[in-house]
Amino acid sequence: MRFIAEIDIMPHKELLDPQGKAVSKNMMRVGINDIEDIRIGKHIMLTLQAADEADAREQVETACKKLLANVIMESYTFSLHSAE
């Protein structure tokens, strides 16, 4: 079966997000003054083959933990749906 996983990776809330801070400061320069905080992360979509949904979830978890996210500094969530 084919599955599509949509993965969101964000820096932990306790950690400084320098990219988000830089964008937040520049919002004022373009006339957007009501932004309180910006956190910038990654959105990843991947298509995979798996025997079933449980196997697909396991593959996505492994990919996130071992390659896609730095779990010391980032958290991740994902959704999974059939591509067929």
Side-chain angles (χ1 to χ4, degrees):
M1 297 178 67
R2 285 181 64 217
F3 292 91
I4 296 174
E6 294 195 44
I7 305 162
D8 291 310
I9 300 171
M10 295 295 293
H12 290 304
K13 292 184 184 206
E14 303 82 25
L15 298 177
L16 178 66
D17 179 6
Q19 196 175 12
K21 291 290 181 200
V23 171
S24 183
K25 287 180 184 177
N26 284 299
M27 286 288 192
M28 288 184 250
R29 292 187 182 149
V30 297
I32 303 171
N33 299 312
D34 295 328
I35 303 295
E36 293 182 11
D37 188 33
I38 296 176
R39 311 262 322 151
I40 295 180
K42 299 178 268 191
H43 181 79
I44 301 166
M45 290 181 61
L46 60 88
T47 304
L48 66 146
Q49 290 285 338
D52 55 28
E53 185 174 338
D55 182 40
R57 287 191 176 283
E58 186 176 322
Q59 288 185 54
V60 174
E61 280 284 344
T62 300
C64 289
K65 288 177 183 175
K66 292 188 173 186
L67 181 65
L68 299 175
N70 177 348
V71 294
I72 295 170
M73 298 173 54
E74 299 170 319
S75 60
Y76 64 88
T77 58
F78 67 87
S79 63
L80 188 67
H81 60 276
S82 174
E84 298 175 357

